[in-house]
Amino acid sequence: MNTKRNLLDFHFQSYDPMKTKVLVVEDDKLISFEIKSILEKNNFDVNICDSYACCIKNLDTFQPELILLDIDLNKKFEGIQIGSYLNSKSDLPFIYITGYTDVETLKRIQTTKPVGYLSKPFREIDIINNIELALYNKKAGLDDVESQEVDEAYSQYSKPIKRALEYIDTNINQEIKTDELIRVSGWSKFHFIREFAKEVGVTPYQYIFEQKMKLASSKLKNTYQSVREIAFDLGYTSNSSFTNAFVKHSGLSPSNFRKKYCR
Amino acid sequence: MSNDVRENQEQVKEVLDQTLHRFKNNLQTQLSLMNIESATHRKYFDDRKVVMDRIFALTHIYDLYYKSDKHEFSVEKPLVSLQSFMLLFIQYLKGSTTKIDYELSEVASVDVKLDDLLLLSYILIEFEDFRKSLEDSIFIQFSKKEKRLSLTLNYFNINDHEKFYDLFHDQYKLLDLMVMQLKGKFEYKKKFIRLSFPIL
């Protein structure tokens, strides 16, 4: 079985932002001012933008390390356009902030691969937790030593299976399709599924399910994210499908699990 | 299912989705106002009443929006009658004081975007709190000129309103943010303070 580290284990280790630059893209003056106040109080360096053009300009001039993005910017869903731009042109992590929680919008924003999603109304602790988690994940992704550890953890697998496991690791917050895993492995469907089960011990579907549930358990234990936000972060577009999956895995609903194990 | 029924169901769903989204944004604004108060050291004469008044403003607006004819208005930019809202809201404020009065004669047919009207009510709540701290009376007059809505605020015991900003400038951050959000401006004249902002 995979021995890769659980990123959430590190969540509450102190991550010192040391004036990390955060760009807030929000056209509501009250909300952007509030977020700025919260972030500055927590030692972040903050710039505010209220449009697509301003955001793109600030990528060069301010050089943010993370972006908080309102989806319905200027009432034209400009935030999703920015998300698409960031997804295709840069590796900057971004977190959506929105009052939308309908399935259509969630599906739409998932395609732009945000690192998080924060629903309004939010609290200070929600913003800070989401940012710290995103920054930690980015840092971990860039850390050569840790990458080497991950490589070592994967060393027991053949190269095609290793590529599939890495793909799952990178895309754990999306819906992962078996066809995509087959494509990255370079093998035929039948051969891939048989070899995956032989090397990893479970089918690709079971493996992805286990990984998502591990991450969900960790988030429920260690963060203040709502169940809906955790469901979204793991690629589920509805609370009910996530809850059903979680009950199947742990025998408890997400909220009961949190009550039982929350520190 | 007939096409008409299906279309009607889709419209109802759209209205519900947009209303839920808007309502959550409005709740976020309420939280933001409270957090900005702390961050900018805005001290109220009566904190409890300010929060309660904001909640009632929100309730009155959604009551009116619920009663309005959604087919006449855009779902994405819901409009609410200024006169209907102010009749309700200022009447509500007058329930706890006799020292506030208003005139709405020129704005019988004016509709304002729900979010803007909510901000306007929060601005009035700020001025009402100033009034209480000054133990004064206030008169508010609404008017519309071209595509701008204006309201003049007159405090009875202030002789020169040009000095009003100096009186409260250290507690103005919230007001400034709300007026910026409305894309409006304040003018300080001898007899009154005027707030004007664009409407549809």
Side-chain angles (χ1 to χ4, degrees):
Chain A
M1 198 63 160
N2 179 24
T3 54
K4 84 183 172 69
R5 76 224 181 292
N6 186 339
L7 297 181
L8 266 295
D9 287 344
F10 297 90
H11 179 58
F12 278 90
Q13 287 180 11
S14 58
Y15 177 81
D16 184 3
M18 287 300 287
K19 293 282 180 190
T20 301
K21 289 181 175 185
V22 178
L23 183 63
V24 178
V25 189
E26 166 67 78
D27 58 349
D28 187 306
K29 304 287 184 281
L30 291 165
I31 295 173
S32 61
F33 186 87
E34 183 204 3
I35 296 174
K36 189 171 191 282
S37 304
I38 289 172
L39 294 183
E40 285 178 346
K41 196 172 92 184
N42 285 276
N43 208 25
F44 288 92
D45 186 8
V46 187
N47 247 20
I48 293 178
C49 274
D50 63 0
S51 68
Y52 181 95
C54 173
C55 174
I56 303 301
K57 190 178 165 195
N58 262 263
L59 296 180
D60 279 338
T61 54
F62 182 58
Q63 301 195 326
E65 288 153 77
L66 184 132
I67 299 178
L68 290 178
L69 200 52
D70 174 29
I71 287 181
D72 200 16
L73 203 58
N74 296 318
K75 312 287 176 214
K76 291 185 293 192
F77 286 95
E78 260 187 30
I80 298 182
Q81 290 175 38
I82 295 173
S84 298
Y85 179 90
L86 293 171
N87 182 34
S88 60
K89 306 273 186 192
S90 80
D91 58 358
L92 258 179
F94 61 95
I95 297 169
Y96 282 122
I97 302 177
T98 180
Y100 284 108
T101 42
D102 59 289
V103 175
E104 288 82 4
T105 309
L106 293 186
K107 275 185 182 165
R108 204 174 149 198
I109 64 176
Q110 267 188 349
T111 60
T112 63
K113 300 189 180 173
V115 293
Y117 156 86
L118 201 53
S119 62
K120 291 175 184 171
F122 52 76
R123 300 166 299 172
E124 175 173 342
I125 197 164
D126 300 323
I127 296 187
I128 300 303
N129 277 349
N130 267 276
I131 290 180
E132 288 195 353
L133 190 60
L135 290 172
Y136 174 76
N137 284 340
K138 190 189 174 197
K139 183 174 172 283
L142 294 172
D143 193 320
D144 288 339
V145 177
E146 288 178 6
S147 297
Q148 201 180 338
E149 281 174 9
V150 174
D151 281 349
E152 281 167 15
Y154 287 148
S155 64
Q156 58 186 300
Y157 303 115
S158 62
K159 280 185 180 170
I161 296 298
K162 188 179 149 194
R163 284 198 296 272
L165 291 173
E166 283 172 349
Y167 181 88
I168 294 169
D169 186 18
T170 313
N171 294 282
I172 196 70
N173 61 340
Q174 311 287 326
E175 185 190 354
I176 300 170
K177 294 193 168 135
T178 311
D179 285 352
E180 209 43 44
L181 297 177
I182 293 164
R183 191 186 61 77
V184 296
S185 76
W187 280 340
S188 70
K189 184 177 179 180
F190 177 72
H191 189 60
F192 170 74
I193 291 172
R194 191 181 57 186
E195 285 302 308
F196 192 101
K198 204 163 102 186
E199 290 187 32
V200 182
V202 288
T203 65
Y205 174 82
Q206 285 168 326
Y207 178 79
I208 293 164
F209 179 73
E210 284 297 323
Q211 291 307 111
K212 284 190 184 239
M213 291 304 112
K214 264 190 201 170
L215 194 54
S217 305
S218 206
K219 283 184 179 236
L220 286 165
K221 278 186 194 172
N222 299 324
T223 77
Y224 295 96
Q225 278 188 289
S226 70
V227 172
R228 184 186 284 273
E229 286 167 359
I230 293 171
F232 173 82
D233 282 350
L234 293 172
Y236 290 91
T237 51
S238 78
N239 251 356
S240 58
S241 55
F242 170 64
T243 300
N244 290 340
F246 197 83
V247 169
K248 187 176 160 192
H249 174 261
S250 68
L252 289 170
S253 69
S255 40
N256 284 337
F257 181 89
R258 177 170 264 164
K259 274 184 206 155
K260 190 171 177 185
Y261 294 107
C262 196
R263 287 175 238 179
Chain B
M1 196 186 301
S2 76
N3 284 346
D4 282 352
V5 174
R6 190 176 293 120
E7 200 176 306
N8 196 264
Q9 279 188 345
E10 280 169 11
Q11 280 171 354
V12 171
K13 186 182 176 306
E14 197 189 346
V15 170
L16 279 173
D17 282 351
Q18 290 292 342
T19 306
L20 175 66
H21 167 236
R22 189 167 305 284
F23 186 65
K24 283 193 278 189
N25 268 325
N26 296 149
L27 289 179
Q28 181 61 54
T29 304
Q30 298 257 2
L31 288 182
S32 298
L33 289 171
M34 288 193 281
N35 289 328
I36 297 168
E37 278 159 32
S38 309
T40 60
H41 311 292
R42 168 75 168 100
K43 300 281 180 219
Y44 287 103
F45 182 78
D46 190 344
D47 302 83
R48 191 169 169 274
K49 185 167 186 309
V50 165
V51 173
M52 202 161 62
D53 289 350
R54 286 180 193 153
I55 290 170
F56 272 88
L58 192 64
T59 309
H60 289 323
I61 285 227
Y62 274 88
D63 265 345
L64 286 171
Y65 176 58
Y66 175 73
K67 288 172 192 161
S68 67
D69 183 354
K70 313 294 184 300
H71 295 293
E72 280 183 18
F73 298 141
S74 150
V75 174
E76 282 155 17
K77 285 183 182 169
L79 298 171
V80 175
S81 156
L82 174 74
Q83 180 168 272
S84 305
F85 175 69
M86 285 303 161
L87 284 170
L88 266 177
F89 185 60
I90 301 188
Q91 206 54 43
Y92 158 80
L93 292 178
K94 280 167 74 76
S96 50
T97 180
T98 53
K99 294 185 172 180
I100 183 165
D101 213 345
Y102 65 106
E103 189 183 311
L104 277 168
S105 56
E106 294 177 42
V107 290
S109 61
V110 173
D111 295 317
V112 180
K113 280 191 279 182
L114 186 153
D115 291 346
D116 288 355
L117 202 49
L118 205 48
L119 280 174
L120 182 60
S121 67
Y122 295 156
I123 289 170
L124 288 180
I125 291 166
E126 296 291 305
F127 279 104
E128 162 62 2
D129 188 71
F130 290 147
R131 183 201 65 74
K132 285 184 85 172
S133 69
L134 294 168
E135 296 183 347
D136 203 345
S137 298
I138 191 171
F139 183 74
I140 309 161
Q141 192 168 21
F142 294 82
S143 60
K144 187 193 168 206
K145 195 174 180 185
E146 294 171 351
K147 289 186 175 176
R148 289 184 81 81
L149 180 69
S150 290
L151 58 153
T152 57
L153 302 124
N154 171 245
Y155 287 87
F156 287 11
N157 295 324
I158 295 182
N159 294 325
D160 186 356
H161 287 74
E162 285 172 357
K163 292 177 182 162
F164 188 87
Y165 181 80
D166 295 337
L167 197 60
F168 290 107
H169 77 277
D170 56 337
Q171 303 193 34
Y172 242 69
K173 187 68 196 176
L174 256 186
L175 269 175
D176 284 342
L177 286 168
M178 289 195 278
V179 173
M180 266 168 68
Q181 181 65 22
L182 283 174
K183 297 184 174 66
K185 63 173 182 183
F186 278 125
E187 289 166 275
Y188 299 91
K189 305 288 181 188
K190 193 168 176 59
K191 299 277 182 196
F192 55 81
I193 302 160
R194 180 190 289 128
L195 165 67
S196 63
F197 64 94
I199 53 173
L200 288 176

